[in-house]
Every structure is written in structure tokens, then in C-alpha cells.
Amino acid sequence: MSRVEIWHRPTCSNSRGALQLLREAGIEPVIVDYIAQPPTVERLRQAIADAGLGVRDAIRSKEPEYAARGLDGPGLSDDALLEAMVAAPILINRPFVFTDKGVRLCRPPETVQELLD
């Protein structure tokens, strides 16, 4: 398999689990600390689309930042949500894993198997 990338958060059990499964499969991915190096709006939009998700599926609605920014409003556009996610990357659900077979939000971590089979 060519380049594999994971948007990783070490404090997240799902992220640690997906990383462990990758390593058990003999893959050492490029690990991106997406909190320190958030994606651009366009990269995030593409990752979400490539994973087959909607923007609201990829946002962490239980984060205090979500309520603080008033992101629960049903009238908010995808663009507004994406901009909020990039401005406060803690709002980006994780881990996203990128391979030549596709992109997945690996929640639960075993979802990464779809990219390895």
C-alpha cells in the first residue's frame, strides 16, 4: 500500500485504536496532528466527501466549543460549519484515515479494515 495518512489525536481512544490496527497490519502511516496543523477548508470538505459523510457527520457536537459557537443551528450552511471546524479543529471528528483505497472516519477504529482488505 502506498502512502497512508491518519489525522490523529493521541488522547482519543478511537484514534489510538485505528493507529494500532494500521501498525498491526504492517503500515506506519504519516501521522498528522490535525489540532496543531488543521486542514484547509477545502481539504476538510474533500475528506468528508471522500468518506461519504455529510459535514454534520464529521463534527464533534459534544465538544463545549460546538455549543459555544452556536453550531447547533439547523440553518447553518456547510461552509459555516467547515470554517468553524478549521478555526477550532477540536471540532473535527477523528480519526480520518486516507489510503489509495479511499478515506474513512474510523469510528469505531475497526472501520480502518475497510481500507486494508
Side-chain angles (χ1 to χ4, degrees):
M1 184 169 288
S2 61
R3 185 174 195 265
V4 175
E5 179 178 307
I6 183 171
W7 290 357
H8 183 59
R9 178 111 168 125
T11 58
C12 173
S13 61
N14 285 305
S15 192
R16 289 191 312 269
L19 180 58
Q20 179 180 345
L21 290 170
L22 287 168
R23 287 178 169 160
E24 287 172 1
I27 298 167
E28 185 56 42
V30 173
I31 298 172
V32 175
D33 178 350
Y34 71 95
I35 299 294
Q37 300 170 322
T40 64
V41 168
E42 284 310 312
R43 175 95 198 272
L44 180 58
R45 181 191 318 274
Q46 191 64 55
I48 292 168
D50 288 350
L53 301 172
V55 173
R56 287 210 180 265
D57 298 322
I59 196 166
R60 294 182 57 81
S61 60
K62 294 181 182 173
E63 286 293 331
E65 188 75 18
Y66 181 83
R69 290 178 175 260
L71 299 176
D72 56 347
L76 285 174
S77 69
D78 284 353
D79 287 339
L81 294 172
L82 289 164
E83 288 174 21
M85 292 164 79
V86 169
I90 192 73
L91 292 169
I92 300 171
N93 222 334
R94 70 241 177 196
F96 273 90
V97 176
F98 303 79
T99 74
D100 50 355
K101 289 188 174 186
V103 178
R104 295 288 181 278
L105 174 59
C106 294
R107 296 182 72 83
E110 294 77 19
T111 305
V112 79
Q113 295 295 340
E114 296 173 11
L115 299 170
L116 302 177
D117 298 333

